[in-house]
């Protein structure tokens, strides 16, 4: 394994400073300039000079403390931040652009079209404010400011001029909460992390064959316990919390496959727990909706109408992946293809009746030419390029780059089907082109309480790709590591990019301490040793 990676360019270990001073800012802004003067800052006051935005005002209140989360400033000197927003809050997600000007003295200026754009600018400002003597995040989380020494904060390298906007409108995470339950507290942490990285879509694969952990008066619940169910109030609170962090929640109700957990309904499921499972479903437990029973569509219509009251986004995901034809052929009589097309056409109609744009996994194209929906692609980066070339509205989630459960093993203790493990570099080096959106995906057969550290920092790598400013992965490595530590001050348990030793440039010194004798294959021992070190570090992530 080490020999296969021995050609990795180890010179990235010398990139103590990236293209941005002090390795700050993630994702990298689209356009920026900076100076040489350090500006002291200890408190902020936001002044509105444009449209009033209740959305921005709520966020500004939070950011008055978030900006100084890496320490405790006890100074009372206030810096004015003048904010000009030109539109009302009627369509927050229409424009996320912003312009941020930080002079060496005088008010900071923040301009945007929407309250959400202004919030994105606030996040950039928060990342630029750094303590002169940072306090470790675990100390900040365990002690009050009264117990800690006064922190001095500065914005280095002023004046800053930043003009920024995302390249791709739909930038997100797809997370499964059926195979293993993810707590509401962890979902809140995920939204906090998405806010910091300027991600804006949480695709919630909330139910599957394994469990139906969602309150519903239409479909009887089949969850692991009443304690592992998302109530209507929990969904409402999660939606509001996510929105304040610039994140839309799009639920997925996968059908007609992956639906055993709907089995509380009479005559709704075929192939329920049928064996041998490998003949009747992609993963146990088996169960698919009986598409020959048209009354089942009435139940689905009522369920979607009910859930549309809780999930208010204009998009809804209807799955349609991995339909097992052998299951239907063994249980149903008639033309299976015609039944599937009829079922899917009705789902499109149900979505439209509830003012939803339907999203499907790419498998739907095996049965129906969907022109009015969005296609999420998982079967690889080549499939993304192919379907984009056909003019389809595509969300890229290719398993060969952006499936984050790969390489961690399967539910049977075997290797996973989509090995190898996707490192942050693998995620970062994939650049989807011409897509409507992109999402990393995490399926949770063997993930539960570790979900946050499994998602991050690898998801952060995708955030910069989707923002449209990803460049050389070597340049990005120190910024990503810095950012991974930065979110720790917000209580987000992001995994490290490399050992603590490297954070202050320790890895950059290795070339001066490793032996210089000649090794086999015309490699110096320094080059070979560095390649092994790099390989060892990369395999951790």
């Amino acid at each position: 394994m080490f020999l296969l990676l021995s050609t990795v360019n180890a010179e990235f270990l010398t990139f103590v400073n990236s293209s941005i001073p002090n390795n700050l800012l993630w994702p990298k802004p689209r356009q920026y300039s900076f100076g040489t003067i350090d500006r002291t800052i200890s408190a902020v006051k936001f002044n509105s000079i444009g449209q009033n935005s209740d959305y921005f005002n709520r966020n500004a209140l939070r950011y008055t403390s978030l900006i100084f989360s890496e320490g405790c400033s006890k100074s009372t000197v206030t810096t004015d931040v003048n904010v000009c927003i030109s539109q009302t809050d009627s369509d927050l997600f229409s424009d996320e652009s912003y312009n941020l000007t930080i002079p060496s003295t005088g008010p900071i200026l923040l301009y945007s079209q929407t309250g959400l754009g202004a919030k994105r600018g606030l996040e950039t400002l928060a990342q630029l404010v750094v303590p002169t003597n940072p306090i470790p995040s675990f100390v900040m989380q365990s002690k009050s400011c009264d117990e800690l020494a006064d922190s001095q904060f500065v914005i280095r390298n002023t004046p800053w001029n930043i003009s920024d906007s995302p390249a791709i409108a739909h930038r997100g995470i797809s997370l499964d909460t059926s195979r293993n339950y993810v707590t509401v507290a962890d979902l809140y942490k995920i939204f906090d992390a998405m806010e910091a990285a300027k991600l804006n879509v949480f695709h919630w694969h909330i139910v599957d064959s394994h469990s139906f952990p969602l309150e519903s008066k239409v479909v009887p619940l089949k969850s692991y316990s009443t304690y592992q169910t998302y109530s209507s109030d929990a969904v409402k609170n999660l939606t509001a919390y996510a929105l304040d962090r610039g994140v839309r929640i799009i639920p997925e109700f996968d059908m007609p496959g992956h639906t055993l957990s709907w089995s509380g309904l009479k005559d709704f499921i075929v192939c329920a727990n049928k064996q041998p499972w490998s003949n009747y479903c992609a993963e146990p437990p088996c169960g698919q909706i009986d598409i020959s029973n048209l009354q089942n569509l009435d139940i689905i219509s009522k369920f979607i109408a009910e859930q549309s009251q809780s999930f208010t986004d204009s998009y809804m995901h209807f799955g349609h992946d991995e339909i097992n034809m052998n299951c239907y052929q063994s249980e149903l009589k008639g033309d299976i293809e015609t039944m599937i097309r009829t079922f899917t056409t009705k789902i499109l109609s149900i979505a439209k009746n509830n003012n939803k744009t339907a999203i499907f996994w790419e498998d739907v194209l095996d049965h129906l030419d969907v022109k009015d929906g969005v296609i999420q692609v998982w079967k690889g980066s080549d499939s993304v390029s192919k379907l984009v070339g056909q003019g389809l509205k595509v969300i890229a989630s290719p398993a060969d780059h952006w499936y984050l459960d790969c390489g961690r093993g399967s539910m049977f203790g075997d290797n996973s089907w989509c090995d190898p493990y996707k490192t942050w570099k693998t995620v970062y080096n994939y650049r989807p082109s011409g897509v409507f959106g992109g999402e990393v995906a995490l399926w949770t057969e063997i993930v539960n309480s570790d979900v946050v550290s499994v998602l991050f920092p690898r998801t952060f790598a995708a955030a910069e790709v989707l923002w449209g400013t990803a460049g050389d992965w070597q340049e990005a490595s120190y910024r990503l590591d810095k950012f991974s530590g930065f979110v720790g001050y917000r209580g987000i348990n992001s995994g490290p990019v490399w050992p603590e030793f490297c954070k202050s440039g320790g890895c950059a010194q290795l070339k001066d301490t490793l032996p210089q004798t000649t090794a086999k294959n015309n490699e110096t021992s320094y080059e070979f040793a560095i390649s092994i070190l790099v390989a060892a570090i990369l395999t951790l992530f």
Side-chain angles (χ1 to χ4, degrees):
M1 174 178 63
F2 288 161
L3 290 176
L4 289 174
L5 292 173
S6 64
T7 57
V8 171
N9 179 6
E11 288 302 308
F12 84 94
L13 294 173
T14 66
F15 278 60
V16 180
N17 283 299
S18 66
S19 60
I20 299 179
N22 305 295
N23 304 312
L24 298 176
L25 298 187
W26 195 278
K28 183 190 295 185
R30 187 164 300 280
Q31 296 179 351
Y32 59 93
S33 65
F34 52 86
T36 59
I37 300 171
D38 289 353
R39 173 176 179 167
T40 300
I41 185 170
S42 56
V44 292
K45 176 187 176 186
F46 296 101
N47 306 305
S48 176
I49 57 176
Q51 288 279 352
N52 181 61
S53 169
D54 290 336
Y55 178 82
F56 177 81
N57 293 338
R58 292 195 304 273
N59 278 280
L61 184 63
R62 288 194 303 115
Y63 270 85
T64 53
S65 57
L66 279 181
I67 288 172
F68 304 100
S69 60
E70 294 179 86
C72 291
S73 175
K74 299 175 183 178
S75 171
T76 58
V77 179
T78 299
T79 297
D80 285 320
V81 180
N82 293 337
V83 182
C84 181
I85 299 171
S86 59
Q87 297 179 11
T88 65
D89 287 343
S90 58
D91 190 4
L92 287 169
F93 289 88
S94 64
D95 193 320
E96 295 178 74
S97 65
Y98 67 91
N99 290 280
L100 178 64
T101 301
I102 307 174
S104 300
T105 60
I108 294 171
L109 306 176
L110 176 58
Y111 295 90
S112 65
Q113 294 293 311
T114 65
L116 178 55
K119 200 198 80 64
R120 300 303 188 205
L122 277 187
E123 180 58 45
T124 297
L125 174 61
Q127 293 182 29
L128 286 172
V129 175
V130 297
T132 55
N133 294 300
I135 301 169
S137 59
F138 66 87
V139 175
M140 289 293 302
Q141 293 171 34
S142 62
K143 293 183 179 293
S144 69
C145 279
D146 291 338
E147 300 174 89
L148 298 172
D150 187 24
S151 299
Q152 299 297 316
F153 287 89
V154 297
I155 302 176
R156 302 196 185 280
N157 297 95
T158 65
W160 281 91
N161 289 284
I162 296 172
S163 180
D164 202 12
S165 61
I168 294 176
H170 181 116
R171 311 177 306 281
I173 293 172
S174 174
L175 179 66
D176 160 35
T177 62
S178 171
R179 289 166 174 85
N180 274 306
Y181 181 76
V182 176
T183 67
V184 170
D186 279 337
L187 292 177
Y188 283 144
K189 293 298 183 187
I190 290 168
F191 298 152
D192 289 340
M194 293 177 71
E195 172 182 52
K198 301 184 175 77
L199 291 164
N200 69 351
V201 173
F202 181 71
H203 164 189
W204 194 353
H205 186 93
I206 196 168
V207 302
D208 207 289
S209 272
H210 307 76
S211 73
F212 198 116
L214 181 66
E215 182 179 351
S216 171
K217 292 181 173 61
V218 176
V219 178
L221 294 174
K222 186 188 175 185
S223 58
Y224 297 117
S225 77
T226 55
Y227 302 106
Q228 293 179 310
T229 300
Y230 304 102
S231 67
S232 296
D233 284 343
V235 170
K236 180 180 178 180
N237 292 336
L238 283 163
T239 300
Y241 188 95
L243 180 61
D244 270 357
R245 282 143 188 83
V247 176
R248 300 156 47 209
I249 295 180
I250 298 176
E252 178 185 348
F253 304 112
D254 200 354
M255 58 182 78
H258 293 276
T259 47
L260 178 66
S261 60
W262 299 57
S263 58
L265 296 166
K266 185 180 179 181
D267 300 326
F268 197 82
I269 298 295
V270 295
C271 305
N273 285 306
K274 198 166 184 177
Q275 298 293 336
W277 69 264
S278 57
N279 289 343
Y280 301 104
C281 59
E283 179 184 84
C286 296
Q288 298 186 166
I289 293 174
D290 183 350
I291 54 176
S292 69
N293 184 351
L294 296 182
Q295 290 182 343
N296 289 337
L297 285 166
D298 293 333
I299 295 172
I300 292 170
S301 180
K302 292 176 182 177
F303 172 74
I304 297 303
E306 173 195 52
Q307 295 304 319
S308 294
Q309 300 303 307
S310 298
F311 296 100
T312 56
D313 195 81
S314 60
Y315 288 85
M316 186 173 280
H317 204 304
F318 296 94
H320 209 289
D321 61 312
E322 298 179 323
I323 296 174
N324 188 287
M325 297 298 287
N326 191 51
C327 163
Y328 281 146
Q329 290 165 356
S330 68
E331 298 265 349
L332 305 181
K333 295 180 180 180
D335 186 336
I336 304 301
E337 278 294 340
T338 297
M339 292 180 194
I340 292 175
R341 286 194 294 272
T342 299
F343 178 88
T344 309
T345 300
K346 179 62 176 177
I347 294 300
L348 283 165
S349 177
I350 291 171
K352 185 176 181 180
N353 290 342
N354 288 278
N355 299 313
K356 305 292 186 185
T357 298
I359 305 175
F360 298 98
W361 292 104
E362 65 183 294
D363 311 52
V364 72
L365 299 175
D366 295 337
H367 307 284
L368 187 69
D369 184 12
V370 177
K371 297 183 182 298
D372 297 328
V374 179
I375 304 300
Q376 186 159 8
V377 179
W378 64 277
K379 295 181 179 180
S381 50
D382 289 344
S383 186
V384 173
S385 299
K386 175 184 175 183
L387 295 182
V388 167
Q390 293 177 7
L392 295 173
K393 203 172 184 179
V394 168
I395 297 171
S397 297
D400 54 355
H401 289 86
W402 281 7
Y403 264 36
L404 301 187
D405 50 303
C406 301
R408 293 171 51 86
S410 73
M411 61 188 286
F412 304 108
D414 301 320
N415 292 331
S416 61
W417 67 272
C418 57
D419 284 350
Y421 182 85
K422 311 311 178 196
T423 68
W424 78 262
K425 178 186 172 185
T426 302
V427 174
Y428 193 76
N429 282 345
Y430 174 60
R431 309 292 166 77
S433 176
V435 297
F436 167 71
E439 297 173 3
V440 297
L442 179 58
W443 306 96
T444 59
E445 284 89 345
I446 55 173
V447 176
N448 53 12
S449 60
D450 57 342
V451 62
V452 176
S453 59
V454 173
L455 281 169
F456 306 102
R458 292 181 294 163
T459 298
F460 293 148
E464 185 158 285
V465 171
L466 294 168
W467 195 258
T469 53
D472 181 78
W473 73 273
Q474 300 171 3
E475 179 278 329
S477 58
Y478 276 94
R479 279 191 301 109
L480 180 58
D481 178 69
K482 186 94 168 183
F483 183 71
S484 184
F486 167 80
V487 298
Y489 288 91
R490 301 184 185 179
I492 300 162
N493 185 31
S494 174
V497 171
W498 46 25
E500 194 79 24
F501 173 67
C502 298
K503 293 181 183 296
S504 58
C507 289
Q509 303 169 22
L510 292 178
K511 67 176 183 179
D512 298 324
T513 59
L514 292 171
Q516 299 294 317
T517 55
T518 303
K520 293 181 180 180
N521 300 325
N522 297 319
E523 280 187 309
T524 65
S525 58
Y526 151 65
E527 291 168 335
F528 187 65
I530 282 287
S531 68
I532 290 178
L533 173 66
V534 173
I537 291 173
L538 292 178
T539 55
L540 294 175
F541 313 103

